[in-house]
C-alpha cells in the first residue's frame, strides 16, 4: 500500500510540473499616495528602528498604521454584515480561484457611472464558457491608468466630498443574478468601490457581505492578463476580527508544456516501475 501511495504521489508531483506559469502582479503599491475612502484614515510608516543596532548590525523595523481598506485591498464579508466572516474566518480556498475578467472599457468611455450588467456577463460566457465555481470575478474598466491621482480616481475636483464621486462598478441586479445562478468567491473592481461612485446605500456591498462573498477594490493592471484561464491568488493578512486588509493580488497565467512531453513520459515510467514492484511484493 505504501508503494502504491508513493506511486500516486509521484504522478501528482510530476504532473504539477508539466506547465510553466507567468506571474502577474495586480497590486498597486501601498504607500502615502494610496487611495482610500475619505471617511477613513490613510497610511503612515513609522521608523521604530532604522540604523546600527548592537554589535555593528544594521536593522530596519517599522510600525505600519493604515486603514484596512487602502489601495488594492480585500473586503471581508463582515464589512457590511455583522454576522458574516471576519478576515481571519475567510476559508483559504476562497482566496484562490479561476480569474474571470469582465472588460467594460468601451462601455465606460461613454458613461463614467457605468454599472456592469447581466448582458456583460452573458457576453463573457459566450466567449469563454460558464463562469467556473469558486471564481474571482473582476470588472476591468481601465481605471488603473488613473491611479493614484485622487481627482481622477474619484473623478471629481473635490475628492473629499463623496457626493461628487463618479466612477463605474457593479450593478446590484447583476450581482444578485450571479449569486442566484453562479458560485463565486470574490467580486472585484479596479475602482475604489464595489458600488458605483454615486451610490448612497451600497447595495452591492450589502449583498455580497450577506452571502459571505469577499470583495476586492482598486485592483491594478488587469490589461496584463486574459479574460479567462488564469488563477488569481489574494495574499490577505489573517487579522483577527478584521473587516478587510491591504492585499497582494497575483495572477498565474499557464504558459504551456515546460518540455516536449518528457515529464509525462518520466512520470509514466516511474508509475509502471513502482506498480510492478508493488505487484511482486504482493505475490511473494
Amino acid at each position: 500500500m505504501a508503494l502504491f501511495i508513493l506511486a500516486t504521489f509521484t504522478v501528482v508531483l510530476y504532473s504539477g510540473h508539466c506547465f510553466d506559469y507567468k506571474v502577474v502582479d495586480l497590486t498597486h503599491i501601498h504607500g502615502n499616495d494610496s487611495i482610500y475612502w475619505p471617511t477613513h484614515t490613510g497610511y503612515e510608516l513609522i521608523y521604530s528602528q532604522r540604523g546600527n543596532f548592537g554589535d555593528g548590525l544594521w536593522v530596519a523595523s517599522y510600525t505600519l498604521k493604515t486603514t484596512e481598506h487602502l489601495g488594492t485591498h480585500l473586503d471581508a464579508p463582515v464589512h457590511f454584515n455583522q454576522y458574516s466572516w471576519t478576515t481571519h474566518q475567510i476559508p483559504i480556498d476562497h482566496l484562490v480561484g479561476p480569474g474571470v475578467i469582465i472588460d467594460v472599457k468601451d462601455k465606460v468611455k461613454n458613461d463614467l457611472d457605468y454599472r456592469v450588467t447581466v448582458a456583460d456577463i452573458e457576453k463573457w460566457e459566450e466567449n469563454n464558457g460558464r463562469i467556473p465555481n469558486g471564481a474571482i470575478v473582476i470588472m476591468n474598466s481601465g481605471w488603473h491608468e488613473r491611479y493614484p491621482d485622487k481627482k481622477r480616481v474619484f473623478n471629481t475636483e473635490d475628492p473629499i466630498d463623496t457626493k461628487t464621486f463618479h466612477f463605474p462598478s457593479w450593478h446590484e441586479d447583476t450581482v444578485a443574478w450571479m449569486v442566484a445562478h453562479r458560485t463565486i468567491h470574490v467580486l472585484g473592481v479596479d475602482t475604489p468601490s464595489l458600488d458605483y461612485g454615486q451610490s448612497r446605500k451600497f447595495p452591492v456591498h450589502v449583498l455580497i457581505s450577506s452571502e459571505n462573498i469577499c470583495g476586492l477594490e482598486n485592483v491594478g493592471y488587469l490589461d496584463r492578463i486574459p479574460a479567462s484561464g488564469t488563477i488569481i491568488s489574494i495574499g490577505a493578512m489573517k487579522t483577527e476580527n478584521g473587516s478587510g486588509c491591504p492585499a497582494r493580488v497575483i495572477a498565474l497565467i499557464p504558459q504551456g508544456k515546460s518540455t516536449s512531453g518528457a515529464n509525462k513520459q518520466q512520470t509514466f515510467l516511474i508509475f509502471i516501475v513502482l506498480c510492478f514492484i508493488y505487484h511482486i511484493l504482493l505475490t511473494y
Side-chain angles (χ1 to χ4, degrees), residues 190-210:
D190 56 352
T191 56
S193 175
L194 293 163
D195 287 281
Y196 80 125
Q198 285 291 292
S199 180
R200 295 294 170 264
K201 296 186 177 180
F202 305 102
V204 172
H205 278 87
V206 172
L207 177 57
I208 68 168
S209 288
S210 67

Side-chain angles (χ1 to χ4, degrees), residues 9 11 17 40 77 83 85 89 136 165 168 188 190 238 247 270 283:
F9 174 76
V11 171
H17 288 284
H40 297 171
Y83 304 108
W85 293 328
Q89 293 171 328
I136 296 176
F165 292 178
D190 56 352
K238 198 174 181 179
I270 292 173
T283 303

Side-chain angles (χ1 to χ4, degrees), residues 86-272:
T86 63
T87 308
H88 82 273
Q89 293 171 328
I90 300 169
I92 191 66
D93 61 353
H94 281 234
L95 298 176
V96 180
V100 171
I101 310 302
I102 309 297
D103 190 327
V104 294
K105 292 194 294 291
D106 288 342
K107 306 286 184 66
V108 170
K109 288 178 182 177
N110 298 319
D111 184 2
L112 294 175
D113 291 319
Y114 186 78
R115 289 179 286 174
V116 180
T117 66
V118 174
D120 294 323
I121 301 297
E122 291 174 340
K123 180 180 178 182
W124 187 95
E125 292 194 333
E126 287 177 8
N127 296 327
N128 302 282
R130 183 185 174 95
I131 291 176
N133 288 343
I136 296 176
V137 183
I138 307 175
M139 176 195 77
N140 179 10
S141 67
W143 222 251
H144 75 271
E145 296 177 355
R146 297 169 175 254
Y147 199 95
D149 185 330
K150 287 184 173 62
K151 289 185 177 181
R152 296 191 66 218
V153 169
F154 291 116
N155 197 32
T156 176
E157 289 299 314
D158 186 1
I160 302 300
D161 184 359
T162 62
K163 298 187 190 68
T164 66
F165 292 178
H166 290 275
F167 54 79
S169 196
W170 290 94
H171 197 290
E172 60 267 28
D173 292 346
T174 308
V175 178
W177 183 90
M178 281 197 289
V179 168
H181 300 287
R182 301 292 183 266
T183 302
I184 69 172
H185 285 169
V186 180
L187 185 73
V189 288
D190 56 352
T191 56
S193 175
L194 293 163
D195 287 281
Y196 80 125
Q198 285 291 292
S199 180
R200 295 294 170 264
K201 296 186 177 180
F202 305 102
V204 172
H205 278 87
V206 172
L207 177 57
I208 68 168
S209 288
S210 67
E211 297 292 333
N212 270 330
I213 295 172
C214 299
L216 269 183
E217 294 171 336
N218 294 314
V219 182
Y221 316 113
L222 291 167
D223 289 338
R224 298 179 182 177
I225 65 175
S228 64
T230 64
I231 297 295
I232 292 179
S233 176
I234 305 165
M237 295 172 63
K238 198 174 181 179
T239 49
E240 186 173 12
N241 296 323
S243 70
C245 61
R248 188 74 177 263
V249 182
I250 64 171
L252 301 177
I253 307 175
Q255 297 296 290
K257 296 179 180 179
S258 59
T259 66
S260 58
N263 281 349
K264 287 189 175 181
Q265 293 176 7
Q266 187 176 12
T267 298
F268 181 73
L269 289 174
I270 292 173
F271 179 77
I272 293 298

Side-chain angles (χ1 to χ4, degrees), residues 45-53 57-62:
L45 190 68
I46 301 170
Y47 287 0
S48 302
Q49 170 66 42
R50 181 180 174 85
N52 293 329
F53 181 82
L57 296 176
W58 190 92
V59 176
S61 181
Y62 310 146

